[in-house]
Structure formats: structure tokens, C-alpha cells
Amino acid sequence: DTLVESLATTTLAGVPAVPFILLLSYGTSRTLSSLFQESRNAVFANVAQSAIRSVGRSTFDHVHSLDLQYHLNRNTGALGRIIER
């Protein structure tokens, strides 16, 4: 009973101190969590884009380095026709 009374009597400008401090710390922690998550995404976005660009470029180079006969002998629509049946 004394704990409840002590919490109710301790105030900051008419607001009980402990709930106000808990609410303020919760808001601060949520804000910092969002800030750190966005910072992490900003740092790794460049890394991810670079990796995707590198893989795409190497695939493009590989396809263009294949013989012309490989491309002419490809049956490119076969999979689509099999799926449609």
C-alpha cells in the first residue's frame, strides 16, 4: 500500500513520475530501434545492389560467350508448351 502511495505522490508537473518515465523510455527505445534498423538497411542496400549487379553481369557475359550453335539449337518454348498441356 505504501508503494502505491509513494508512486502516486511523486509527480513531475502534475503527472505521476514512474508511468511518465516508463512511457518516455518506451518511446525512446522504439525510436532508436527504428533508427538503427533504417541505418542498417541503408548500409547494406549498397552491398546487396552491388552483389546483384555482379551476378547479373557475369550471367550476361556467360550467355554471350556461348557458341551461336548453342543459341540456335535451344528449344526455348518447350517448357511453356509442356506447362500449357
Side-chain angles (χ1 to χ4, degrees):
D1 193 30
T2 59
L3 177 63
V4 173
E5 291 173 5
S6 66
L7 292 175
T9 57
T10 306
T11 61
L12 297 172
V15 179
V18 173
F20 178 73
I21 291 171
L22 288 175
L23 184 63
L24 185 64
S25 61
Y26 173 74
T28 303
S29 66
R30 291 283 300 204
T31 302
L32 288 175
S33 173
S34 295
L35 178 69
F36 288 139
Q37 186 172 5
E38 290 298 322
S39 299
R40 185 192 65 201
N41 289 341
V43 168
F44 287 109
N46 190 23
V47 174
Q49 287 177 359
S50 176
I52 290 170
R53 194 177 314 117
S54 175
V55 168
R57 178 63 188 206
S58 65
T59 303
F60 182 80
D61 289 340
H62 174 71
V63 168
H64 281 274
S65 69
L66 295 172
D67 290 333
L68 180 60
Q69 288 303 315
Y70 173 80
H71 293 290
L72 293 176
N73 294 332
R74 294 286 299 163
N75 196 359
T76 57
L79 182 62
R81 285 189 296 273
I82 291 170
I83 291 173
E84 287 178 5
R85 290 183 194 172

